[in-house]
Amino acid sequence: MCQSYKIACDCNQNMAEIFFGKMVLNETAIEAVYCPQCSRSLDTDRDDRVWDNGWVLEMNMDAVRLYAGSMGISAQALTAARVFDEGYATWVGITPDDTRRRNQERDEIQKLAKTDILAYYEAMKAWGLNREKKFSDEGWRKMRVHR
Ligand SMILES: [Zn+2]
């Protein structure tokens, strides 16, 4: 996925992977990322920050505004939350570190394939369904948008 952009959060303990949908924005639109550990003292009431389960994506609104026309959103109506929810700058997966976690989980299940192929198919199926339910229960923004 060539449009994805990896960025460390402010405290440097976690990584987020950002996806720029519809080929409009690029990494100049991203100012900072905060994980649940480093977002605690942040001001929540700002147009340039979108909150998602403790994670915060802060955008450079001057850079974002340059693309308002391409996004079909008026410059006055532009907020980080809107840009995120419409998919112009969002997580690659459902959560900021979804890709890495998904690969780890899948590797675990794939070990089953060597010993018990039926159990493996069942586990893969259950895993997909459980992931979706878990994300939905946790209330990630992307799950809310899809409802
Ligand atoms: Zn952090």
Side-chain angles (χ1 to χ4, degrees), residues 63-111:
V64 171
R65 252 177 240 118
L66 295 176
Y67 301 94
S70 315
M71 292 187 277
I73 305 174
S74 76
Q76 295 91 321
L78 264 185
T79 61
R82 179 122 188 235
V83 171
F84 183 97
D85 290 339
E86 296 199 11
Y88 291 107
T90 180
W91 317 127
V92 168
I94 303 297
T95 71
D97 56 358
D98 194 12
T99 315
R100 189 177 55 82
R101 201 163 291 177
R102 184 171 48 207
N103 291 341
Q104 275 174 2
E105 289 174 4
R106 187 185 293 146
D107 288 349
E108 277 304 305
I109 296 172
Q110 269 165 353
K111 287 179 193 155

Side-chain angles (χ1 to χ4, degrees), residues 11 28 38 41 55 67 77-78 80 83 134 138:
C11 73
T28 61
C38 54
S41 56
W55 284 81
Y67 301 94
L78 264 185
V83 171
K134 187 184 72 164
E138 288 171 353

Side-chain angles (χ1 to χ4, degrees), residues 9-14 33-39:
C9 69
D10 199 51
C11 73
N12 246 319
Q13 301 294 302
N14 288 290
V33 169
Y34 303 87
C35 75
Q37 277 86 46
C38 54
S39 73

